[in-house]
Amino acid sequence: MLKLLSSTSRQIHTHFTSPCLRVANESQPNSLLKSLSLLTGLTQRNHKSPSFYQRAFFCSDSSSGDGGDGGGIVEVEVRSGASETEAEGGAADSSNSSAIVPTSPRPEDYLTVLALPLPHRPLFPGFYMPIYVKDPKLLAALQESRKRQAPYCGAFLLKDEPDTDPSVVTGSESDKNISDLKGKDLFNRLHEVGTLAQITTIQGDQVILIGHRRLRITEMVSENPLTVKVDHLKDKPYNKDDDVIKATSFEVISTLRDVLKTSSLWRDHVQTYTQHVGDFNFPRLADFGAAISGANKLQCQEVLEELDVYKRLKLTLELVKKEMEISKIQESIAKAIEEKISGEQRRYLLNEQLKAIKKELGLETDDKTALSDKFRERLEPNREKIPEHVLQVIEEELTKLQLLEASSSEFNVTRNYLDWLTALPWGNYSDENFDVLRAQKILDEDHYGLTDVKERILEFIAVGKLRGISQGKIICLSGPPGVGKTSIGRSIARALNRKFFRFSVGGLSDVAEIKGHRRTYIGAMPGKMVQCLKNVGTANPLVLIDEIDKLGRGHTGDPASALLELLDPEQNANFLDHYLDVPIDVSKVLFVCTANVVDTIPNPLLDRMEVVSIAGYITDEKVHIARDYLEKATREACGIKPEQVEVTDAALLALIENYCREAGVRNLQKQIEKIYRKIALQLVRQGALIEPAVPVAELDAEKIECVETSTESVEVNSKKQNNEILEEAEIVRTDQTPEEAEIVKMDPQPNHVQSPLDQPTDSKDTAETEGSEGTKAVDKVLVDTSNLADFVGKPVFHAERIYDQTPVGVVMGLAWTAMGGSTLYIETTQIEQGDGKGALNLTGQLGEVMKESAQIAHTVARGILLSKEPDNLYFANTKLHLHVPAGATPKDGPSAGCTMITSFLSLAMKKLVRKDLAMTGEVTLTGKILPIGGVKEKTIAARRSDVKTIIFPSANRRDFDELSPNVKEGLDVHFVDDYNQIFELALGYDENEKK
């Protein structure tokens, strides 16, 4: 911080201990005499003090007003004591005061000085600056100079480091870097022009400097501490009466006064100079303006280096003008902020006054009363249905709310708690639908098939109708993806006239999502069940819990265990949420859970649910679903009209068989959407979209006249154009008859106007049809098996039937897959034969269970062969290789046991397996056939492969009987308990029967 010193006598009387005074009055011819006279008067007034000692340094201006050098440094000592020899008279005092003035060198006599680096701003003559000296040698040299009555040094601004931005402030890093500079490195970093500075005070590592005159470095004398030779600079001669210089100085003074009015930053530095600012000489005025400005160090250094007084004034004027602009911006910012704050305060006070007035008049109550009234209004309609223990808790919380301050955190917790308690539908139930026929109609409208699920819902409605009241149930729909588990839940809610709420628990690992958070936690919320009841507004909604087989488990607990209470019919009548902490009755809620597999559901949770399996759709069902549901919805979504496209049944069947064999219809929907998107693009490219015709009244008069005068030309051109359009618009297919192929005409020009020759004679009919019909016809795009690949690409699946007639050692089995079921060939061949070389190799990515089944089948086959042909030692002397295609697909499970035995026996007995036969079943070492799973999926796979005869275990007879008739149609199914029955069906024929 720079500070300018005062020269008035008032400041000397008040602050006579100041170490340095600058005389600013240029009218005095000898500033030294004036200072001595002031000081003499000062000592005479204080001679009564028993012990008085003062020292002051007076420095004259660096240059006199006429350009000559004048003034110097004078050290004055004033002493007063009780000594009798010193107190004999006033004349003696006067002589003593004159006698102690030493003849010390003047400032211009110092030609070798210590170089002191200034990191931030240059030091101007007449101002002081405190700096910190970190170099101990330099600090010791400064202290030594001050003791030797030579308290002067050179203050030079430090140059910026190369490749650095001078406007970026680096803070303490720059001070650290300065202390590291020594000797020649420091010398090279100093600006040449600096200031001769007087050392006034040294306190620790802080040194206070006062600037006197300008210096220029000539050469370096010593490095540590850095000492340099300097030349004392004087201002260039100038004319005091020059009008330009006077005008520039007056403008500087005027601008400085404006700055001081708007900014109080420098007011304390110049408050004693505002009344004498007209007495400044021009060089000092320029230094004064540059020193108090907020310019950067390079701009201030430029002012310091300038010796031409007029140029220096111009530079200073630019700096103070910029300071003035900054002051205006500061004032505008402060005014804007003050207006904003005052406006908000005024609005706040007015609102508070308005609240007080309304409260006095009874027009409005306070916030707490309003909240209590709102909560009580919620309770009134259902107060009789709310349990007593819940009402008691609500009343206690309302009383507590009135006692709490609105600004406390407990107030917000209580308010939120009451909000949830009063928002729940206590005893509020929706009217259910007990009409079985209406429910059946709704279910059939939304879904095709799914007989088991629909039947179970109709049973639920029938029981509710007989009892007169419905209860909640927990149903789990299990099946592969895309079979409609989630969408059937929404249809069930519509059929039952219940509100629907769905939430997924796939990957859920936090118990609080089910049971809620404790109210002590910040941001606590109730669980999903309480949120559901608040959202739907009834106590008997249908809640669909999706992906219940994919529950997670983390450090916050096990959500599957938390669901045990919610999904238990014996416990959910008093379901306790951690946030509400009061029992809730959810026994009337119908829970529908969905899962892909039930194996991953914990057994205690699975035991609480009624599992309804959805095996998937057969081909016929998929065709109906695609025709009645998917195609219609996709056509509307793509903006295509029914008359514009036709997808044949053969194309739809090929799409299902070759592209969409999954159990569900999600992939089928994607493929149909793909077909219709390509059709939409084709229609747009052909310009076949229907567009309104241009009204005849809007035709240009000149065009109509041209048509009337050249009728023949129009007729010829029209025929020619129609022939060209006819050739472009024809869709001819080799597999269609002329009657089936629809050949239409279309107008390729969007704004084509029909000529008068083509217009109907009845103008009234034309006017009625205008605006509703276009002049263009539409091509019907036909999608059949011949061009299906153009829309959906190459087939993904190929025929599952590899052999028309399976060779020796090959048998067709049936397997369950996530896609709904598939045929599985078991192939066995002979590797080598010799005494005692019986062995078995297995390939085809078989799992551990399937490998064990192969070993069991090999053992059972040896026993059966010995019983049928005792002399046949084929298995004992033959090394066999069993393979299950496809090799890239992992396979596991026990249901291929009987198929493997048949494959072994077919190879050993050199007999072909009966044609169009498939089998499945687990076998034991004694040849017993055990039940298997996936009866429907395996039956569908058999139908897809044109299998006529299927062998199932007898234990699966009931599962097969429950299948729909269209699934079982045309199949010859045999149920067996022992493998000998399978042997008779597959291999127990004679040669005549084979032929």
Side-chain angles (χ1 to χ4, degrees):
M1 181 74 69
L2 302 178
K3 188 171 184 181
L4 201 62
L5 300 176
S6 174
S7 63
T8 59
S9 59
R10 181 172 57 85
Q11 183 178 4
I12 293 177
H13 286 300
T14 308
H15 305 287
F16 63 89
T17 59
S18 177
C20 184
L21 298 175
R22 295 282 296 179
V23 180
N25 194 347
E26 165 179 300
S27 62
Q28 294 293 337
N30 194 338
S31 60
L32 178 62
L33 294 178
K34 180 176 176 63
S35 300
L36 288 175
S37 64
L38 292 173
L39 188 61
T40 303
L42 184 68
T43 55
Q44 289 177 354
R45 283 192 298 272
N46 292 278
H47 71 279
K48 295 181 181 181
S49 176
S51 177
F52 179 79
Y53 178 85
Q54 287 292 332
R55 171 180 292 177
F57 296 101
F58 293 91
C59 53
S60 64
D61 294 336
S62 61
S63 61
S64 62
D66 56 358
D69 59 334
I73 188 72
V74 179
E75 181 179 348
V76 181
E77 293 186 2
V78 183
R79 296 191 180 184
S80 176
S83 174
E84 294 180 358
T85 59
E86 294 179 354
E88 288 181 354
D93 293 341
S94 178
S95 62
N96 289 340
S97 299
S98 301
I100 63 175
V101 178
T103 58
S104 59
R106 295 179 300 174
E108 57 264 26
D109 295 336
Y110 290 91
L111 301 178
T112 301
V113 294
L114 293 171
L116 199 59
L118 303 179
H120 305 300
R121 289 176 65 91
L123 176 62
F124 284 92
F127 288 81
Y128 82 83
M129 176 186 292
I131 65 170
Y132 290 91
V133 179
K134 302 296 183 181
D135 189 357
K137 290 187 178 181
L138 179 58
L139 186 62
L142 293 174
Q143 292 175 343
E144 183 66 25
S145 298
R146 191 166 182 271
K147 290 179 182 179
R148 289 190 288 104
Q149 304 300 322
Y152 289 96
C153 65
F156 301 94
L157 182 65
L158 196 67
K159 296 178 182 178
D160 293 318
E161 295 183 6
D163 301 330
T164 57
D165 187 359
S167 61
V168 178
V169 179
T170 57
S172 60
E173 294 183 1
S174 62
D175 299 336
K176 183 179 180 181
N177 295 336
I178 292 172
S179 62
D180 294 338
L181 293 175
K182 305 290 183 182
K184 194 170 184 179
D185 294 337
L186 180 59
F187 178 77
N188 294 332
R189 288 281 301 278
L190 296 178
H191 283 274
E192 291 185 359
V193 178
T195 308
L196 180 67
Q198 178 182 350
I199 307 169
T200 61
T201 306
I202 299 177
Q203 296 179 353
D205 58 353
Q206 185 186 45
V207 180
I208 298 178
L209 306 176
I210 297 180
H212 280 269
R213 58 176 61 224
R214 287 169 169 79
L215 301 175
R216 175 178 280 118
I217 298 175
T218 57
E219 61 177 313
M220 182 174 65
V221 177
S222 61
E223 293 188 1
N224 197 7
L226 181 62
T227 306
V228 295
K229 285 187 177 181
V230 296
D231 288 341
H232 291 257
L233 303 179
K234 296 181 180 180
D235 296 331
K236 295 180 180 179
Y238 65 95
N239 185 6
K240 293 181 180 181
D241 299 327
D242 191 320
D243 294 338
V244 177
I245 294 180
K246 285 184 178 180
T248 306
S249 64
F250 292 157
E251 183 63 23
V252 172
I253 293 172
S254 175
T255 307
L256 284 174
R257 285 175 175 169
D258 293 338
V259 171
L260 294 175
K261 288 179 183 178
T262 58
S263 176
S264 60
L265 185 62
W266 303 103
R267 197 170 298 166
D268 55 336
H269 303 305
V270 294
Q271 59 182 354
T272 58
Y273 276 82
T274 52
Q275 55 185 345
H276 301 297
V277 76
D279 297 332
F280 282 180
N281 58 24
F282 300 128
R284 289 196 58 189
L285 178 62
D287 291 345
F288 174 74
I292 70 169
S293 69
N296 61 46
K297 61 182 182 179
L298 296 180
Q299 293 173 331
C300 293
Q301 180 66 24
E302 187 178 359
V303 175
L304 184 66
E305 293 177 357
E306 185 58 59
L307 300 180
D308 188 281
V309 175
Y310 171 66
K311 292 182 179 180
R312 191 190 303 172
L313 282 171
K314 286 183 64 178
L315 292 174
T316 301
L317 182 60
E318 293 178 3
L319 298 182
V320 295
K321 285 290 185 182
K322 186 179 295 184
E323 190 72 20
M324 184 63 190
E325 294 298 325
I326 295 174
S327 299
K328 289 181 180 179
I329 296 173
Q330 176 187 354
E331 185 179 5
S332 64
I333 293 173
K335 185 177 180 181
I337 295 176
E338 185 177 356
E339 288 178 355
K340 181 179 179 181
I341 295 175
S342 61
E344 291 178 355
Q345 290 177 345
R346 183 171 178 271
R347 189 180 299 107
Y348 174 76
L349 291 175
L350 290 176
N351 286 331
E352 292 298 322
Q353 292 175 1
L354 182 62
K355 288 180 181 179
I357 293 172
K358 288 185 176 181
K359 188 174 182 180
E360 288 294 330
L361 296 176
L363 301 177
E364 185 177 286
T365 57
D366 58 0
D367 293 339
K368 292 189 289 186
T369 306
L371 281 173
S372 299
D373 294 342
K374 182 182 75 172
F375 293 145
R376 293 185 187 278
E377 288 176 3
R378 288 183 183 177
L379 294 177
E380 287 304 323
N382 298 325
R383 178 175 287 273
E384 296 179 357
K385 301 177 182 178
I386 301 176
E388 289 296 332
H389 63 278
V390 177
L391 280 176
Q392 182 180 356
V393 172
I394 293 175
E395 291 296 335
E396 291 176 357
E397 293 296 324
L398 286 173
T399 305
K400 178 181 176 182
L401 185 69
Q402 294 294 329
L403 300 177
L404 293 172
E405 290 293 331
S407 59
S408 66
S409 59
E410 186 67 21
F411 179 84
N412 292 326
V413 173
T414 305
R415 181 186 62 187
N416 292 337
Y417 182 50
L418 283 170
D419 189 17
W420 281 100
L421 277 177
T422 56
L424 293 181
W426 301 100
N428 185 17
Y429 302 102
S430 60
D431 296 333
E432 288 199 64
N433 170 41
F434 293 117
D435 189 349
V436 176
L437 297 179
R438 178 176 175 271
Q440 177 78 48
K441 181 180 178 182
I442 293 175
L443 294 173
D444 290 340
E445 284 178 359
D446 295 341
H447 290 80
Y448 183 86
L450 301 180
T451 308
D452 296 342
V453 181
K454 294 178 181 179
E455 193 71 20
R456 181 64 187 87
I457 298 304
L458 294 178
E459 293 171 1
F460 177 80
I461 295 175
V463 171
K465 183 176 182 178
L466 294 177
R467 292 188 56 189
I469 187 173
S470 63
Q471 293 292 327
K473 284 292 180 182
I474 298 95
I475 301 173
C476 179
L477 304 179
S478 172
V483 296
K485 299 185 298 297
T486 303
S487 59
I488 192 65
R490 195 179 300 274
S491 297
I492 294 172
R494 193 162 71 93
L496 295 175
N497 196 26
R498 292 195 180 199
K499 295 295 183 67
F500 179 78
F501 185 84
R502 171 192 172 274
F503 69 94
S504 177
V505 295
L508 188 69
S509 60
D510 191 359
V511 173
E513 293 291 332
I514 306 297
K515 298 276 288 182
H517 302 85
R518 301 287 182 186
R519 292 200 305 277
T520 54
Y521 298 134
I522 297 175
M525 289 185 64
K528 287 291 184 182
M529 196 60 232
V530 177
Q531 296 178 34
C532 159
L533 296 178
K534 180 181 178 182
N535 290 338
V536 299
T538 60
N540 62 336
L542 186 146
V543 179
L544 182 69
I545 304 177
D546 226 346
E547 310 294 349
I548 198 170
D549 59 327
K550 301 176 183 62
L551 278 169
R553 185 172 185 175
H555 66 281
T556 53
D558 184 10
S561 301
L563 284 173
L564 293 177
E565 178 185 4
L566 180 63
L567 300 182
D568 191 344
E570 300 298 329
Q571 299 183 36
N572 58 14
N574 294 299
F575 175 72
L576 186 64
D577 186 87
H578 290 162
Y579 182 86
L580 296 184
D581 205 24
V582 292
I584 305 173
D585 184 10
V586 293
S587 60
K588 302 295 191 297
V589 177
L590 175 59
F591 292 97
V592 178
C593 307
T594 67
N596 295 125
V597 290
V598 296
D599 298 339
T600 57
I601 302 176
N603 288 331
L605 184 60
L606 185 63
D607 183 63
R608 286 163 167 79
M609 298 186 293
E610 181 181 349
V611 180
V612 179
S613 298
I614 303 177
Y617 301 104
I618 62 174
T619 303
D620 295 341
E621 292 175 338
K622 286 186 178 180
V623 171
H624 282 285
I625 293 171
R627 186 67 75 189
D628 299 337
Y629 300 93
L630 304 180
E631 189 179 5
K632 180 181 178 181
T634 305
R635 187 168 56 238
E636 293 177 356
C638 293
I640 300 175
K641 296 185 178 180
E643 61 268 16
Q644 291 179 291
V645 63
E646 179 182 355
V647 181
T648 64
D649 292 339
L652 207 55
L653 184 62
L655 181 68
I656 294 170
E657 292 290 342
N658 300 331
Y659 297 86
C660 310
R661 288 187 182 177
E662 299 83 1
V665 293
R666 186 172 292 137
N667 189 40
L668 178 60
Q669 181 180 6
K670 294 177 183 177
Q671 297 296 337
I672 293 176
E673 290 174 354
K674 186 176 181 180
I675 291 174
Y676 274 87
R677 286 198 304 268
K678 290 187 179 293
I679 292 174
L681 178 60
Q682 180 178 341
L683 292 175
V684 172
R685 282 178 173 173
Q686 293 177 355
L689 293 176
I690 296 179
E691 296 182 4
V694 178
V696 178
E698 296 181 3
L699 292 176
D700 188 82
E702 295 181 359
K703 293 182 179 180
I704 296 177
E705 183 179 358
C706 181
V707 170
E708 291 176 353
T709 56
S710 57
T711 304
E712 296 179 359
S713 176
V714 171
E715 184 176 2
V716 173
N717 293 334
S718 177
K719 291 181 179 180
K720 182 179 179 180
Q721 187 179 21
N722 289 337
N723 291 333
E724 293 175 355
I725 295 172
L726 183 61
E727 292 176 0
E728 293 176 357
E730 286 182 357
I731 301 177
V732 181
R733 306 196 179 278
T734 57
D735 57 344
Q736 287 182 305
T737 62
E739 292 76 15
E740 293 175 346
E742 184 177 359
I743 303 175
V744 295
K745 297 178 181 180
M746 69 175 184
D747 187 0
Q749 299 179 0
N751 296 323
H752 174 67
V753 180
Q754 190 177 15
S755 66
L757 295 177
D758 299 329
Q759 292 179 356
T761 56
D762 192 354
S763 59
K764 293 183 179 180
D765 295 339
T766 304
E768 291 176 358
T769 57
E770 277 186 7
S772 63
E773 294 181 1
T775 61
K776 293 182 295 185
V778 180
D779 280 339
K780 175 173 283 189
V781 179
L782 184 65
V783 180
D784 59 6
T785 55
S786 62
N787 63 350
L788 181 62
D790 298 337
F791 293 94
V792 291
K794 296 180 179 180
V796 179
F797 301 99
H798 300 281
E800 294 185 359
R801 194 180 186 95
I802 302 176
Y803 308 97
D804 290 334
Q805 170 63 57
T806 55
V808 173
V810 179
V811 185
M812 181 189 293
L814 298 174
W816 179 92
T817 66
M819 298 173 63
S822 175
T823 57
L824 191 72
Y825 282 95
I826 305 296
E827 301 177 342
T828 307
T829 185
Q830 175 181 319
I831 299 178
E832 60 178 336
Q833 196 168 14
D835 293 340
K837 289 190 176 182
L840 179 63
N841 289 345
L842 302 174
T843 58
Q845 276 209 63
L846 307 183
E848 293 298 325
V849 176
M850 202 165 185
K851 289 179 180 179
E852 292 178 359
S853 296
Q855 297 293 338
I856 294 172
H858 189 255
T859 303
V860 174
R862 292 182 67 172
I864 293 176
L865 183 62
L866 287 176
S867 64
K868 301 292 182 182
E869 300 178 5
D871 298 333
N872 193 342
L873 302 177
Y874 181 81
F875 290 109
N877 301 327
T878 307
K879 185 175 183 181
L880 302 178
H881 182 185
L882 184 143
H883 176 69
V884 184
T889 305
K891 310 167 192 69
D892 202 2
S895 62
C898 62
T899 313
M900 293 178 178
I901 296 175
T902 308
S903 177
F904 290 141
L905 293 176
S906 173
L907 183 63
M909 300 174 66
K910 301 294 189 288
K911 295 183 68 174
L912 298 174
V913 178
R914 191 186 299 272
K915 187 178 180 181
D916 298 333
L917 174 68
M919 63 185 69
T920 179
E922 180 182 356
V923 68
T924 66
L925 277 174
T926 59
K928 296 296 183 182
I929 306 299
L930 301 181
I932 46 88
V935 173
K936 182 177 181 180
E937 289 86 348
K938 293 179 179 180
T939 306
I940 294 172
R943 287 178 57 87
R944 191 164 52 236
S945 299
D946 295 330
V947 173
K948 304 301 181 183
T949 306
I950 305 177
I951 299 176
F952 279 129
S954 296
N956 294 110
R957 181 187 295 272
R958 184 174 182 180
D959 298 331
F960 182 82
D961 292 340
E962 292 177 354
L963 298 179
S964 58
N966 55 350
V967 177
K968 301 183 290 184
E969 184 180 0
L971 292 176
D972 181 18
V973 182
H974 297 270
F975 298 95
V976 297
D977 295 321
D978 189 87
Y979 182 77
N980 290 322
Q981 298 173 281
I982 299 178
F983 180 84
E984 295 298 330
L985 291 171
L987 299 171
Y989 57 86
D990 54 20
E991 294 299 326
N992 294 329
E993 183 181 354
K994 175 184 174 184
K995 292 179 182 180

